[in-house]
Amino acid sequence: EHVCKISDANVLIVGDFNYPEIDWNLHESKQGPHHYTNLFVESMQENLLFQHVLKPTRVRGGQRPSLLDLVISQEEMVQDLTYLAPVGLSDHAVLLFTVTSMCANIQKPVPLVRNFNRGDYSKARGMLRQTDWTNLNRGSVEDAWTEFKGRLEEICAEVVPRYNKKRKKNIFMTKEAFSQKRKKDKSFLKYQKYPTDANYASYKKERNKLRSLTRKLRMSFESTLAKELKRDAKPFWRYCNSRVKAQTK
């Protein structure tokens, strides 16, 4: 209710709500009328919210599958909801869906970054020699730094080209790994359709095979980088930077 009041746009809420007591086909809770799950359903109805997930999203051997992960929207803006196999050893399914919403036509800027490996540094040195640095002796230290930084940025824009930053891809995955991933997804869909102990054991077996394979591929890749470190250190440091969550700009 609070989200609907403060938002002047379409509302989309996604997450693990952990409300297995709610039957979303009937839009009612199996508990009493004053139970918090029933109050949750009533609040959704009062605020004209839709819940789109109708199949179990959490599966674990020996336990009954349950619907815990919800996709809630203010309008019928969620389409093509698909249930995919869990990531890694997780027991929650991945939910993939399309969101259709009215919005302004905003042109997304192309993410361009500078390619310093292709910079013309001979030209940069010439431009630096032609620069009159006497202005740095005027004013405060902050003024001098601003002047110095501005000149370097001008030269950088002149001699260092830009390029489109490509989306990161999983550098460990091979044809064998993608094939095993398809087997894992297929076994999960079979278990989701026929939730038997045998089908869960089959899914778990394929999942563990993929996990073991990706670990071996990663160890092999990192071992190769370490062996080639003395000959060419750039791939090693590029990989190290890619593993850092907080990227510097």
Side-chain angles (χ1 to χ4, degrees), residues 217-229 232:
L217 291 173
R218 178 174 178 174
M219 290 177 62
S220 175
F221 177 80
E222 292 177 348
S223 177
T224 302
L225 285 180
K227 291 178 181 178
E228 297 292 326
L229 179 59
D232 186 6

Side-chain angles (χ1 to χ4, degrees), residues 203-218:
Y203 158 69
K204 189 175 180 180
K205 179 181 178 181
E206 300 299 338
R207 180 199 66 186
N208 292 343
K209 281 185 179 179
L210 178 61
R211 182 64 173 170
S212 177
L213 177 60
T214 52
R215 283 180 174 175
K216 289 179 181 178
L217 291 173
R218 178 174 178 174

Side-chain angles (χ1 to χ4, degrees), residues 133 143-157:
W133 298 107
D143 294 336
W145 165 248
T146 301
E147 182 75 19
F148 177 74
K149 181 181 177 183
R151 180 54 179 162
L152 287 184
E153 289 177 346
E154 291 177 4
I155 296 175
C156 186

Side-chain angles (χ1 to χ4, degrees), residues 10 23 43 47 49 65 70 72 99 101 126 136 147-148 161 163 165 170 181-182 190 198 201 203 210 230 248:
N10 296 329
D23 184 342
S43 177
N47 291 280
L49 294 173
L70 308 181
I72 300 171
V99 177
S101 178
L136 296 180
E147 182 75 19
F148 177 74
Y163 70 101
K165 189 175 182 180
N170 195 327
K181 183 179 183 301
R182 286 191 292 270
K190 183 178 179 180
Y203 158 69
L210 178 61
K230 290 185 178 180
T248 58

